[in-house]
Amino acid sequence: MGLRPRLIVMSILVSVMTLSGLQQAIGENKIPKLFDPKTTVLDNGLEIVVIEDHRAPVVTHMVWYKAGAADEPPLKSGIAHFLEHLMFKGTEKLKPGEFSEIVAKNGGQENAFTSQDYTAYYQNVSVDKLPLFMEMEADRMANLVLNDEAVGPELKVVLEERSQRTDNNPGGLFGEQFQAAQYLAHPYGTPIVGWRQELEKLSTQDAIDWYKKYYAPNNAILIVAGDVKAEEVFELAREHYGPVAAVDLPERKRVQEPPQLAKRVIEMKDKRVRQPSWRQSYLMPLDQKADEKNNRALEVLSEILGGGTTSRLYRGLVVTDKIAAGAGAYFNSGNIDNSTFVFYGSPSTGHTLDEIEAAVQDIIEDIQTNGVTDVELDRAKRNLMAEAIYARDSVRGAANIFGASLANGETIDDIVNWPQHISEVTAEDVKKAANQMFDERRSVVGRLLPDTDES
């Protein structure tokens, strides 16, 4: 769901309430459900979700494939993201690049993105153009043309993207090393863009194999949000996506983490680094992923610890002790498999990474021993709700949260009842979640430092 999954989730609140109304609802313990999505499933297995929003004559049309970087076979890292690029290379009906040209000519916006767990494509267009883009998206679901002339040049583009975002960026390189240290066996330790030495060897046949394996209606979710009527969208989908044949999908089975028994510390120096930084991530216990109550408590805990300038970390390390120039925390709740809770900070002048780490540990131990206050708990819940109010001006926000959540195995009920579940989190739930989550043996400490060696 991204760096702030809770924000994305709550963005859909905006259509049903105002901030003052929400605060009143919390006080009265009457939390409404989110939206009223309409759903259906075509005979070929395509799941469809429609979110009606009639504030403006626009629509977001998204297709989410339940295949991401963590599904890649050995030695083929980067193929999921590479195929995302190749989906714009044309079909039997459209020349390479013509898909994007048509979007631009019709005043629309488009893009695509790949995560560890899914790959998604979207267009934001005026509502009268929905049939056109549904036809085009259905076309490339089944009829993508891949050959050496298309694949070879695009591989160079992807390699250059890796160079710019990772190889020439010490923060990017450090992030890869850190993630690889966190996961001993699970594919979440492999970068989405792919390891360079494997990326360089990807072939046209690799792309074809990935496309045929995963790009099919019975492995996809169609989300349409905007000024539409659900039944009309369903009918359009039957016309354009209905003829696309389902395929035999492989079992989605990944290598799982063994028990982690030793804290790891990694340190990287680079001459391009100007400001030292520290981070520590904790892997969720293996049996906690399925505990939704625990996940909601961790989301509230994340807000208490790292939710802006009123959070415990910022007030403690930056405002009171003045040992850090910045500090925060976040919890990745949106993955299919076990995710992480991350702390980070940079020292202020005259202070060290060791001081930051010690101060963070003191805060963790205090919450594990004494819990959180009622004031912190109430403020965290209200902040989660308020963030949603300010994120309301995007039809795509609702489509994003439904697409990402469903692709990651959550249900419509999980999404629409999220505010109620957050409202039910207690201080004892947060304390219990903190004690389960923060075990140093499942953690990695990372230090990124300037390289001052003159040699």
Side-chain angles (χ1 to χ4, degrees):
M1 285 188 191
L3 294 178
R4 304 296 297 272
R6 59 187 182 278
L7 173 63
I8 301 173
V9 169
M10 293 304 298
S11 68
I12 48 184
L13 268 172
V14 296
S15 69
V16 295
M17 59 176 54
T18 65
L19 179 58
S20 59
L22 178 60
Q23 291 172 329
Q24 182 180 358
I26 294 172
E28 296 174 352
N29 197 28
K30 296 179 180 178
I31 307 299
K33 295 184 177 181
L34 300 180
F35 267 109
D36 183 22
K38 308 295 192 302
T39 65
T40 192
V41 180
L42 299 189
D43 291 342
N44 60 12
L46 179 68
E47 299 176 55
I48 304 173
V49 178
V50 178
I51 306 155
E52 297 182 3
D53 182 341
H54 302 291
R55 290 176 296 169
V58 295
V59 66
T60 292
H61 171 250
M62 308 188 83
V63 172
W64 298 70
Y65 293 96
K66 292 181 275 189
D71 300 299
E72 294 166 343
L75 305 179
K76 303 296 181 185
S77 67
I79 186 63
H81 172 248
F82 185 33
L83 200 280
E84 175 211 309
H85 278 241
L86 294 171
M87 284 289 282
F88 295 87
K89 289 303 177 183
T91 66
E92 295 173 0
K93 294 181 180 178
L94 299 177
K95 296 180 295 185
E98 191 174 1
F99 191 108
S100 297
E101 292 173 4
I102 294 174
V103 174
K105 287 179 180 177
N106 285 277
Q109 299 174 328
E110 62 158 354
N111 213 329
F113 45 90
T114 304
S115 81
Q116 291 284 4
D117 297 315
Y118 52 73
T119 307
Y121 304 82
Y122 73 88
Q123 301 88 39
N124 298 326
V125 295
S126 60
V127 67
D128 61 307
K129 299 297 189 295
L130 180 60
L132 171 64
F133 292 104
M134 198 174 279
E135 178 184 1
M136 291 166 56
E137 196 67 78
D139 177 38
R140 68 175 175 177
M141 178 182 283
N143 302 309
L144 187 66
V145 174
L146 294 171
N147 51 43
D148 290 344
E149 288 72 26
V151 172
E154 197 60 31
L155 183 57
K156 294 180 180 178
V157 172
V158 173
L159 286 165
E160 179 60 23
E161 179 180 332
R162 184 190 156 84
S163 295
Q164 291 183 2
R165 295 186 177 182
T166 305
D167 299 331
N168 295 326
N169 179 352
L173 288 171
F174 180 68
E176 278 191 349
Q177 299 295 310
F178 188 85
Q179 192 74 356
Q182 179 68 82
Y183 290 96
L184 303 176
H186 192 278
Y188 284 168
T190 300
I192 293 170
V193 72
W195 299 115
R196 174 171 283 277
Q197 73 275 14
E198 296 181 3
L199 191 56
E200 290 173 335
K201 296 178 182 177
L202 293 180
S203 67
T204 300
Q205 191 58 51
D206 292 329
I208 292 172
D209 291 344
W210 184 262
Y211 177 68
K212 289 185 175 180
K213 190 174 185 180
Y214 290 114
Y215 280 63
N218 52 325
N219 197 42
I221 304 165
L222 170 66
I223 310 288
V224 177
D227 189 20
V228 294
K229 294 181 179 178
E231 288 302 325
E232 294 176 358
V233 173
F234 295 156
E235 192 58 36
L236 273 176
R238 290 187 189 97
E239 176 183 349
H240 296 294
Y241 289 100
V244 182
V247 302
D248 292 329
L249 294 170
E251 181 182 3
R252 205 172 193 185
K253 194 173 183 179
R254 298 167 172 172
V255 174
Q256 294 300 305
E257 279 292 293
Q260 295 196 354
L261 306 176
K263 174 183 175 181
R264 283 132 284 159
V265 179
I266 67 168
E267 183 173 292
M268 178 176 155
K269 294 182 178 180
D270 192 292
K271 293 183 183 301
R272 295 167 292 182
V273 173
R274 295 291 178 266
Q275 175 69 29
S277 62
W278 169 93
R279 71 177 74 170
Q280 184 168 11
S281 69
Y282 291 81
L283 182 67
M284 176 179 278
L286 299 180
D287 58 350
Q288 289 297 307
K289 175 60 182 176
D291 186 346
E292 282 303 314
K293 184 178 181 181
N294 183 71
N295 289 339
R296 300 292 85 84
L298 287 172
E299 288 172 345
V300 172
L301 176 59
S302 174
E303 182 65 25
I304 290 171
L305 285 169
T309 56
T310 59
S311 67
R312 273 217 194 188
L313 283 177
Y314 194 90
R315 285 187 292 113
L317 277 65
V318 178
V319 177
T320 303
D321 295 339
K322 302 185 187 310
I323 63 173
Y330 58 90
F331 171 56
N332 294 316
S333 63
N335 296 341
I336 288 179
D337 294 315
N338 287 65
S339 59
T340 55
F341 200 114
V342 182
F343 297 85
Y344 62 90
S346 295
S348 56
T349 303
H351 293 276
T352 67
L353 299 184
D354 286 341
E355 290 177 87
I356 290 179
E357 184 171 341
V360 170
Q361 287 304 316
D362 285 345
I363 289 174
I364 291 174
E365 289 172 11
D366 181 62
I367 289 180
Q368 289 178 318
T369 303
N370 302 310
V372 299
T373 68
D374 290 340
V375 171
E376 288 177 317
L377 184 69
D378 182 63
R379 181 168 56 213
K381 292 180 182 179
R382 291 179 184 277
N383 285 349
L384 290 172
M385 302 295 184
E387 284 182 353
I389 302 302
Y390 296 118
R392 64 186 179 182
D393 292 331
S394 170
V395 171
R396 208 183 108 201
N400 264 329
I401 184 54
F402 277 92
S405 299
L406 294 173
N408 283 341
E410 296 188 45
T411 67
I412 293 290
D413 284 345
D414 293 334
I415 300 168
V416 299
N417 291 312
W418 189 85
Q420 182 64 42
H421 296 159
I422 286 292
S423 74
E424 293 170 352
V425 173
T426 67
E428 189 58 34
D429 293 333
V430 174
K431 181 181 177 182
K432 178 182 176 183
N435 278 284
Q436 292 175 332
M437 187 80 204
F438 302 132
D439 183 335
E440 288 249 293
R441 296 173 299 174
R442 296 193 301 270
S443 78
V444 178
V445 170
R447 300 163 175 260
L448 179 60
L449 301 165
D451 188 352
T452 57
D453 188 350
E454 298 296 332
S455 61

